[in-house]
Amino acid sequence: MNDPNISCADQLSDVHLEEYVRGDLDLENSKIVAEHLSVCADCYQRYVSFTAPSRHAFQKLLDELSGERYELKGQLAEGGQGRVYLALDRANQATVVIKHFCSANTLSLFGNAETCRNEFQNSKRVLQFQQSGGASSGIAQVYELFEDDSQAVLVREYIEGVTLESKITSALQQRSLTELEQIADWLIEVGEVVHDAHRIGILHGDLKPANIMIRESGSPVLIDFGISFDRRELGIRSEVRAGTLNYMAPEVVRQQSAALSPRCEVWSLGVMLYQLLNGGLPFDISRQSNTTKIVESMETGILFPSINTCSA
């Protein structure tokens, strides 16, 4: 699995990557490159840029899939799973976000298509559950999913605002009690959304401040259900560790799929709350790769931590 927390110690050259994409390398060297790309986020992102279609080509594809409904306005992000675009929904004259995962990613096409499908289906389920109970939406709306054998395209709501991550950083620098109380309220609201998901068996899988948007109106929104899953499917899922290491519960780090439960996500929320109160993470394990050492750091590094106090 490609791990964005591992930096590249032996960067692949552009020439080497181009040869791999064209299929010009022999089997042994192809295997070496594939193994390197599976653990190196830096080279993997460059690999995606070599293989992903151009914006013009994707616009043409998008027109065919959607009946010319969406007009690309700019690229928001690019990573190991594909590209994310800002687009105009011509039918509603509204801004939307479009995620595109294609078969150019030969390392994990099925995983990427599954990511789109998970985000669409599981987000829909949580939204429907909230609507049935009269609750306001605390997750991003998802509108359409296009799939074929070579790609998946997801269209979701564009949220005007900033991430909780940036809000936490700002508040910690200011150390304003009012700001910190506001962030704590946001975390409570997010906890309620996560609880709604848990009530129907959905685990988000990657709870962290970067996956919580704060609308301009001031309400928090949980985004990116790409690696979410239904607990009923645990028996058929491979035990691949996914998520963001610093926010993972120990059983997730150990890849103990049978132990995955809402408690794992309570842990993630707890790490975020600690971050809010203390000004930093309870432990930084983002660059470790040995599971035993990671768990040891987690279990010994959070006993009776000192808490920074805020000035009124």
Side-chain angles (χ1 to χ4, degrees), residues 189-200:
E189 290 184 55
V190 170
E192 291 174 349
V193 175
V194 172
H195 178 59
D196 284 341
H198 291 169
R199 289 172 68 187
I200 56 173

Side-chain angles (χ1 to χ4, degrees), residues 58-182:
F58 180 52
Q59 179 66 72
K60 184 177 180 181
L61 169 69
L62 190 60
D63 288 343
E64 294 173 357
L65 293 173
S66 69
E68 300 186 352
R69 176 167 180 169
Y70 302 104
E71 178 185 354
L72 297 178
K73 290 298 185 181
Q75 185 172 314
L76 291 176
E78 180 174 335
Q81 295 179 328
R83 289 177 174 172
V84 183
Y85 295 91
L86 198 65
L88 172 68
D89 179 349
R90 295 185 177 110
N92 297 318
Q93 290 300 299
T95 301
V96 295
V97 170
I98 293 180
K99 295 184 174 184
H100 180 219
F101 307 117
C102 69
S103 59
N105 175 7
T106 55
L107 293 175
S108 55
L109 169 61
F110 175 77
N112 283 344
E114 185 182 39
T115 292
C116 255
R117 199 176 305 118
N118 281 345
E119 183 162 1
F120 184 78
Q121 294 177 344
N122 291 339
S123 294
K124 282 285 190 186
R125 284 186 58 195
V126 178
L127 286 165
Q128 289 169 357
F129 177 78
Q130 290 181 317
Q131 290 166 357
S132 67
S136 59
S137 171
I139 71 172
Q141 298 278 346
V142 287
Y143 302 131
E144 291 194 272
L145 175 67
F146 305 105
E147 281 188 278
D148 61 25
D149 292 337
S150 62
Q151 58 213 316
V153 178
L154 175 74
V155 184
R156 74 158 174 82
E157 173 189 8
Y158 171 68
I159 299 167
E160 191 75 44
V162 297
T163 65
L164 180 61
E165 184 175 48
S166 66
K167 288 283 188 179
I168 287 179
T169 302
S170 172
L172 289 171
Q173 290 172 349
Q174 300 295 325
R175 302 309 294 172
S176 162
L177 182 59
T178 301
E179 288 179 303
L180 291 178
E181 287 176 341
Q182 174 65 81

Side-chain angles (χ1 to χ4, degrees), residues 55 89 96 99 118 176 187 239 247 266 295:
R55 176 176 162 179
D89 179 349
V96 295
K99 295 184 174 184
N118 281 345
S176 162
L187 282 177
E239 297 185 7
Y247 298 91
V266 172
V295 174

Side-chain angles (χ1 to χ4, degrees), residues 21-61:
V21 171
R22 293 196 304 266
D24 292 342
L25 296 179
D26 58 34
L27 183 60
E28 182 178 353
N29 282 313
S30 292
K31 183 178 180 181
I32 292 172
V33 172
E35 289 176 349
H36 181 87
L37 291 175
S38 70
V39 296
C40 174
D42 294 338
C43 289
Y44 190 72
Q45 185 164 337
R46 290 168 49 236
Y47 164 77
V48 170
S49 70
F50 279 122
T51 55
S54 67
R55 176 176 162 179
H56 175 76
F58 180 52
Q59 179 66 72
K60 184 177 180 181
L61 169 69

